[in-house]
Amino acid sequence: MAELSGTTLKIYNYMIKQKKPVRLTKIQRDLNMSSKSLVRYHLKKLMEEGLIREVDDGYVVSKVVLEDYIRIRNTILPNSIFLASFFLTSLVIFIALSLFYQGTGASEIFGFLSISAAAVYFIRDVLKKMKSIST
């Protein structure tokens, strides 16, 4: 299977979020594309990959292939959102415990820096992936 990118990926992500078949003109209008032939070109690429199929009412996704993503209903989220939330929660708990127990030793500083670095890394990863599926 070819790697999806650019406009083809944009159309595929748009179609995944739809609850019913989508007509070519709706895709063109909703994604502000210049022409129907451009939309048709990308739809053809998706059909050749076996990711979508044409039905009476338009086009539907026949196969969801989003590596490193999870689909919850019509919402697509990167898997790293779970790690980001874990480390962010851990950081909040760590700070609260550090304030409560008044610890400022080397182990507390190391713990703070380690958890902060992991939280920042996964939050950046989530934001980057969310941007890539929305554009």
Side-chain angles (χ1 to χ4, degrees), residues 40-107:
R40 198 173 288 115
Y41 167 78
H42 291 287
L43 290 173
K44 182 180 177 197
K45 284 174 60 175
L46 291 167
M47 284 193 295
E48 288 172 356
E49 292 293 328
L51 299 175
I52 66 169
R53 60 186 164 84
E54 190 171 5
V55 294
D56 292 337
D57 295 338
Y59 297 88
V60 294
V61 173
S62 57
K63 187 176 182 184
V64 177
V65 180
L66 292 173
E67 197 170 301
D68 199 32
Y69 290 88
I70 186 169
R71 179 179 177 191
I72 301 173
R73 293 191 182 194
N74 289 333
T75 304
I76 301 167
L77 299 170
N79 287 337
S80 53
I81 197 165
F82 300 108
L83 290 168
S85 61
F86 170 77
F87 282 111
L88 196 56
T89 303
S90 298
L91 183 60
V92 170
I93 292 170
F94 183 83
I95 290 170
L97 290 174
S98 293
L99 291 174
F100 182 72
Y101 289 109
Q102 300 296 321
T104 56
S107 62

